[in-house]
Amino acid sequence: MPGEFQLIQQFFQREQAEQPAAGVLLGIGDDCALLQIPDGKQLAVSVDTLVSGVHFPADAAPDHIAERALRTNLSDLAAMGADPLWFTLALTLPEANEDWLRSFSRGLFACARTYGIALVGGDTTSGPLSITIQVMGAVAPGRAMRRDGANIGDFILVTHSLGDGAAALAAIQGRITCDESAIEYLHERFYRPVPRLRESALVREFASAALDISDGLVADLQHICDASDVGAIIDVETLPLSPAVQALQNQAQALEWALSGGDDYELCFTVAPEKMADIAMLIAQGELVATVIGEIVPGNKVICEYEGEPFALANTGYQHF
Ligand code: ADP
Ligand code: MG
């Protein structure tokens, strides 16, 4: 069995060395990486851990696990309005299985290439399988989409569709049945969620606040309300649902998933009324896929309404503890 250093070299250092990376003065191999932040930019940093059996099934394909880990981290950069630069990887492995590592590395670097982010360091330890990725990105001063910028009267929008993450998990666990094309779509959405970096670059000039939806729309929008000291109304009938979710037997369940399912990794952002014309133009031109789903109002809570009537929710979001 190869030693730790050989593993790092074979599956991470060598792979990364084949890809040019801007700003990396010194990458994998020394005590620290040395990185040059682009001129005039601020550094945005975020870290997330994925634990086997909690954030992904223990027997999931290693390339899927790697892709999901990096993509969900990239989603945080998108939510902040930052462009990807570099990442580090802390890997805890139960055993040094070369086949597993080869597949993991393939998935990781396929994703890294797609989104132009470079691996600059990490840590490798032995223990129950877990993957921690820290991403770093660049954002222009004053351009970051923070959670504390929403104002009363702002429109609330989300990108693409909601509820796919929860529907995918239900499909994977055999709790729902769908046709083959829907299954394929939901699998892709679950294992390879698209970090909304393109959308982020379009809206960051106009958005007053933003985040990515990982725990469910209601739970995550509440974070914007708390940080901005405002309330929000969601018009449930406007929630964008994918054809796969629209086709589900139980439409009440579908709405529930769209509101509180989690794992969607769409952007939720707020826009002041005077800036809505710019956003509407991007949508009309087909540049941006986003839907107005509600409004920021006085108060401190997220309220759901269906055609003007209160809409009760059984479950408001995934909580780890
Ligand atoms: P140290 O003992 O100084 O922490 P390590 O042996 O942990 O050094 O790591 C040696 C080098 O390999 C460092 O540059 C580190 O960033 C890199 N590294 C370790 N594990 C990984 C990994 N899983 N992915 C990428 N780089 C890694
Ligand atoms: Mg170390």
Side-chain angles (χ1 to χ4, degrees), residues 4 8 31 122-125:
E4 177 194 334
I8 296 167
D31 295 310
D123 197 26
T124 308
T125 54

Side-chain angles (χ1 to χ4, degrees), residues 114-221:
T114 301
Y115 295 105
I117 191 163
L119 181 63
V120 296
D123 197 26
T124 308
T125 54
S126 149
L129 179 60
S130 101
I131 294 121
T132 298
I133 288 181
Q134 181 189 48
V135 284
M136 290 161 269
V139 62
R143 258 300 132 74
M145 298 192 288
R146 299 164 51 136
R147 297 178 176 189
D148 61 3
N151 295 297
I152 292 161
D154 286 358
F155 291 93
I156 305 167
L157 294 92
V158 295
T159 53
H160 297 265
S161 59
L162 298 177
D164 291 333
L169 196 59
I172 290 166
Q173 295 174 344
R175 285 182 279 120
I176 56 168
T177 49
C178 323
D179 69 38
E180 212 160 294
S181 70
I183 289 277
E184 206 171 296
Y185 167 83
L186 291 174
H187 265 243
E188 184 75 3
R189 286 281 275 157
F190 186 81
Y191 286 110
R192 306 180 70 231
V194 177
R196 300 303 185 189
L197 291 158
R198 210 183 57 76
E199 291 76 0
S200 165
L202 288 171
V203 308
R204 64 189 169 199
E205 192 177 331
F206 309 110
S208 51
L211 46 61
D212 64 328
I213 302 170
S214 53
D215 294 337
L217 172 65
V218 172
D220 285 321
L221 182 54

Side-chain angles (χ1 to χ4, degrees), residues 4-5 8 12-13 27-33 87-91 104 108 119-125:
E4 177 194 334
F5 292 103
I8 296 167
F12 300 109
Q13 190 169 17
I28 296 169
D30 211 313
D31 295 310
C32 293
F87 72 107
T88 59
L89 167 70
L91 205 51
F104 183 88
L108 188 76
L119 181 63
V120 296
D123 197 26
T124 308
T125 54

Side-chain angles (χ1 to χ4, degrees), residues 16-65:
Q16 182 55 57
E18 285 166 14
Q19 299 184 42
V24 182
L25 307 179
L26 190 61
I28 296 169
D30 211 313
D31 295 310
C32 293
L34 288 177
L35 307 168
Q36 185 65 54
I37 301 170
D39 274 351
K41 294 287 175 72
Q42 293 175 341
L43 188 66
V45 181
S46 174
V47 65
D48 265 312
T49 297
L50 273 72
V51 177
S52 169
V54 179
H55 301 99
F56 57 87
D59 60 352
D63 53 339
H64 281 163
I65 298 172

